Amino acid sequence: MKYDVLVLGAGMVGVSCALHLQAKGKSVALFDRQEAGQETSFGNAGIIQREAVRPYGFPRALSVIGTAATNRRLDVRYHASALPRVAGPLLRYFNHSAPAAYEKIAADYASMIAMSIDTHADLIKAAQAESLVEKQGWLMLMRSQKNLEAAFAEADTLQREHGVNHRKLNQQQLAELEPGIAKGQLVGAVHWTDPWTLRSPGDLVKAYAELFNRRGGEMLFGDALTLEKTAAGWQVRTRDGETVTAAEVVIALGPWTTKLTERFGFAPPMFVKRGYHMHYAALPDRKLNHWVLDEERGYLIAPMKNGLRLTTGAELALIDSPSTPKQLIDCEAIARDLLPIGDRVDPEPWKGARPCMPDMKPVIGAVPDVPGMWCAFGHGHQGFTLGPATGELLAALMTGEKPQIDMQPFSAGRRF
């Protein structure tokens, strides 16, 4: 079983890389331990976030740092047991979030986000997946007038500098748009109008994987950690014991990427932000029409195929440590007082992990000093949004073409 390229990882990023390499004429095998779109790409909020031109920086306000340090915030929690492992990357994250450094990072980051809708649109059309997509944007809910005015000002800045479109909603306009939300707790919202939403993000990844198969690609199953270097390139073993070989390999394993690459001398300081979700039944007399973020509390509710999905913020923990969904439980109590959510649908909360880099940018390109190994990981909160853009950019690099944007800021050889 010989291919030009072996792509390890069948989430949104890996599937997108496989499709774009295939479009360049490469024979590609897509390799994972399970079907496409079953890990982080399955459990996210289901938004293609065209508005997310500024990555999540480390908070600088002492009041925020103080409440985070004492584990009293809803939007971020941590495991004390993880601190020895993540302290170094978090310190770098803090330093990169200083105003001058952050502004340069945000400019680089925005160049990729600007590609998000167009690159998804091409694949959605080719995959005949239009029925999965809604184009009504999402709402950022605000509870205080001061924060609403600040949000309006920031939205105006993003529109002026990055072409991000929005509507400003006062309390009455929000109530007219979403009558199912409890009255009186909110003062208004920013309606981000450019993003697209998915009622089942995992289904979109599956649709892309099916397109890959229809175009002659092959999905194979096994343990990516069986990867070995050979004289002719690379090889892995499937769970059926077959050997798969390729001249080049792309590592797109999300939060598990460095577990593999460190064997070949590449161990950048990645850390994970875990997140949880739970589905709830809708209330018969109240409806939620849009994806809504309770910005000042730190959770999001989305009307998904399986029910209303509540997704949490960040939990700083080791990737395989036991589930601790208290963050979700605390957010649920607040959400019930505001939004039309009924009984729990899922037997247990879903848990996933976002692969994060200290400088908030994904890692895309050739692995230093390892000929034939490429990588695409570290997208933080935006792997679902940036998958197709990543695939297009990596395929250009791997085939000697000029990428649409400057790729040096995203290179694997940069200083993290």
Side-chain angles (χ1 to χ4, degrees):
M1 301 174 71
K2 297 181 180 180
Y3 301 88
D4 295 327
V5 184
L6 177 64
V7 177
L8 304 183
M12 177 60 82
V13 173
V15 172
S16 298
C17 290
L19 276 166
H20 280 282
L21 287 164
Q22 187 183 56
K24 298 292 186 185
K26 300 288 188 179
S27 62
V28 183
L30 186 59
F31 192 88
D32 205 322
R33 60 187 177 185
Q34 57 185 329
E35 296 288 347
Q38 294 301 300
E39 294 286 356
T40 310
S41 295
F42 169 82
N44 59 66
I47 309 175
I48 302 171
Q49 287 194 249
R50 172 62 183 89
E51 90 296 340
V53 294
R54 297 176 71 82
Y56 292 102
F58 197 106
R60 312 293 289 183
L62 291 178
S63 60
V64 177
I65 294 174
T67 53
T70 54
N71 249 351
R72 289 183 286 130
R73 296 189 65 83
L74 284 174
D75 55 348
V76 60
R77 297 280 173 87
Y78 68 89
H79 286 188
S81 59
L83 293 181
R85 291 271 297 274
V86 303
L90 288 181
L91 178 60
R92 298 186 193 195
Y93 183 18
F94 178 81
N95 291 335
H96 282 300
S97 299
Y102 178 84
E103 290 306 319
K104 175 63 171 69
I105 288 168
D108 295 334
Y109 192 83
S111 68
M112 277 198 72
I113 290 289
M115 300 174 62
S116 59
I117 295 292
D118 290 342
T119 50
H120 266 286
D122 291 342
L123 294 185
I124 288 167
K125 181 178 180 180
Q128 300 179 335
E130 291 89 349
S131 63
L132 299 177
V133 182
E134 297 184 13
K135 302 178 182 180
Q136 60 179 356
W138 63 276
L139 305 177
M140 185 168 71
L141 310 178
M142 306 304 297
R143 292 172 176 263
S144 73
Q145 191 63 36
K146 177 182 177 180
N147 288 338
L148 179 66
E149 291 171 3
F152 284 171
E154 175 69 6
D156 284 339
T157 298
L158 297 186
Q159 184 160 11
R160 183 174 61 254
E161 296 181 355
H162 300 285
V164 176
N165 296 302
H166 68 280
R167 295 172 58 209
K168 300 180 179 69
L169 304 179
N170 60 28
Q171 189 177 58
Q172 180 178 344
Q173 291 167 325
L174 174 59
E176 292 171 354
L177 192 63
E178 286 289 353
I181 295 178
K183 306 298 187 292
Q185 298 187 43
L186 305 171
V187 297
V190 176
H191 180 190
W192 300 109
T193 56
D194 291 332
W196 294 358
T197 54
L198 287 299
R199 289 187 182 269
S200 179
D203 283 351
L204 185 64
V205 182
K206 290 179 183 178
Y208 289 174
E210 289 167 1
L211 174 64
F212 170 74
N213 290 333
R214 289 198 300 272
R215 289 177 169 178
E218 189 158 7
M219 179 82 194
L220 303 171
F221 301 96
D223 183 355
L225 293 180
T226 63
L227 181 72
E228 296 178 357
K229 189 80 174 76
T230 68
W234 301 91
Q235 70 176 31
V236 289
R237 292 189 302 278
T238 71
R239 63 190 180 196
D240 297 324
E242 297 180 281
T243 299
V244 183
T245 64
E248 298 178 289
V249 64
V250 175
I251 316 298
L253 294 170
W256 298 277
T257 294
T258 55
K259 186 175 182 180
L260 176 57
T261 61
E262 66 186 7
R263 286 175 33 203
F264 300 92
F266 181 55
M270 185 175 71
F271 62 101
V272 300
K273 295 180 184 178
R274 300 201 315 188
Y276 299 86
H277 84 223
M278 170 63 67
H279 290 103
Y280 302 84
L283 297 181
D285 57 339
R286 293 167 62 191
K287 184 180 179 182
L288 188 66
N289 302 307
H290 293 79
W291 277 239
V292 296
L293 172 67
D294 191 346
E295 171 69 13
E296 295 174 53
R297 297 295 183 268
Y299 65 89
L300 184 143
I301 297 279
M304 292 284 186
K305 181 175 72 172
N306 294 333
L308 297 175
R309 177 182 291 184
L310 187 157
T311 60
T312 65
E315 181 187 65
L316 298 170
L318 301 181
I319 189 170
D320 294 324
S321 61
S323 177
T324 53
K326 187 176 186 304
Q327 189 177 24
L328 185 142
I329 294 168
D330 292 344
C331 288
E332 177 186 312
I334 294 172
R336 287 191 179 282
D337 195 38
L338 179 69
L339 298 162
I341 63 174
D343 294 336
R344 286 187 171 193
V345 174
D346 304 327
E348 297 290 339
W350 179 90
K351 172 176 65 68
R354 310 173 184 98
C356 301
M357 304 306 299
D359 64 358
M360 296 159 272
K361 296 179 293 187
V363 185
I364 305 168
V367 173
D369 303 318
V370 188
M373 177 180 281
W374 303 77
C375 61
F377 70 99
H379 294 75
H381 294 255
Q382 301 300 344
F384 188 78
T385 294
L386 292 175
T390 298
E392 178 181 308
L393 295 167
L394 182 67
L397 290 172
M398 291 181 67
T399 55
E401 298 180 5
K402 183 178 180 180
Q404 183 175 328
I405 63 173
D406 180 13
M407 293 303 294
Q408 186 58 38
F410 308 99
S411 73
R414 71 184 189 262
R415 292 186 64 183
F416 297 100

